[in-house]
């Protein structure tokens, strides 16, 4: 994975996945596939203006809306966190996903822009590192294990 962050609070990530763009695209638009790599619940309406809502746990709920949906090449949605303690309010940043065929797989490029502070960029950098690695496993049919931010089962 390659990582860069600029003064304008942009986080960029790239990962190559051994799956077709058509397969990878579904992991950003199909709720059942989304929760295989990110979150515990997802409500997705993948069309411009449609809802993007992904719940990791009771305190961490990302919400926004789809801006652009161009299967299987590109998905753009706004992003932010619900709740009074959210440092990145709902819809305040924009996540652009570009899928490019490379060899027999896909280069996934993610750009998360409009983050409000360096601290928010750091948190999103860490989160995207974690979740892009999980996506690479899930999109190839593997099991990335339970989401580390999901609610813990009572023992």
């Amino acid at each position: 994975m390659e990582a860069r962050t600029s003064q304008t609070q942009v986080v960029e990530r790239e990962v190559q996945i051994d799956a077709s763009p058509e397969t990878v695209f579904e992991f950003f638009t199909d709720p059942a596939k989304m929760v295989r790599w990110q979150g515990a619940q997802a409500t997705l309406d993948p069309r411009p203006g449609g809802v993007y809502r992904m719940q990791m746990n009771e305190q961490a709920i990302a919400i926004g809306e789809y801006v652009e949906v161009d299967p299987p090449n590109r998905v753009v949605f706004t992003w932010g966190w619900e709740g009074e303690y959210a440092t990145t309010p709902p819809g305040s940043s924009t996540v652009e996903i570009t899928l490019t065929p490379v060899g027999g797989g896909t280069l996934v490029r993610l750009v998360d822009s409009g983050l409000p502070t360096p601290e928010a960029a750091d948190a999103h950098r860490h989160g995207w590192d974690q979740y892009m690695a999980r996506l690479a496993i899930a999109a190839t049919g593997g099991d990335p294990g339970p989401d580390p931010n999901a609610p813990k089962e009572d023992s």
Side-chain angles (χ1 to χ4, degrees):
M1 267 187 259
E2 182 180 309
R4 294 183 302 246
T5 302
S6 73
Q7 297 293 57
T8 58
Q9 309 314 317
V10 176
V11 174
E12 299 180 43
R13 293 291 183 259
E14 289 186 350
V15 64
Q16 190 157 340
I17 299 177
D18 190 21
S20 71
E22 291 81 5
T23 297
V24 176
F25 185 86
E26 292 178 355
F27 283 82
F28 292 97
T29 58
D30 179 322
K33 290 184 178 180
M34 169 71 74
V35 298
R36 289 197 47 223
W37 67 284
Q38 183 179 48
Q41 295 179 353
T43 302
L44 308 175
D45 182 9
R47 61 182 175 82
V51 68
Y52 177 98
R53 186 176 190 277
M54 190 270 306
Q55 181 173 342
M56 292 184 176
N57 56 51
E58 293 298 317
Q59 292 79 37
I61 301 170
I63 191 162
E65 69 178 41
Y66 285 92
V67 176
E68 181 181 340
V69 181
D70 177 19
N73 308 303
R74 188 168 154 85
V75 179
V76 180
F77 49 90
T78 61
W79 173 277
W81 298 98
E82 283 186 346
E84 61 185 288
Y85 302 109
T87 58
T88 304
S92 64
S93 78
T94 300
V95 177
E96 301 174 52
I97 308 294
T98 305
L99 306 174
T100 305
V102 176
T106 302
L107 177 65
V108 179
R109 182 164 194 271
L110 177 143
V111 178
D112 189 350
S113 61
L115 294 162
T117 65
E119 295 78 16
D122 286 345
H124 283 84
R125 184 178 313 109
H126 172 75
W128 286 124
D129 283 346
Q130 179 179 37
Y131 284 108
M132 294 289 277
R134 292 175 57 79
L135 172 64
I137 295 166
T140 58
D143 180 2
D147 185 325
N149 295 304
K152 305 295 183 242
E153 301 276 333
D154 289 334
S155 307

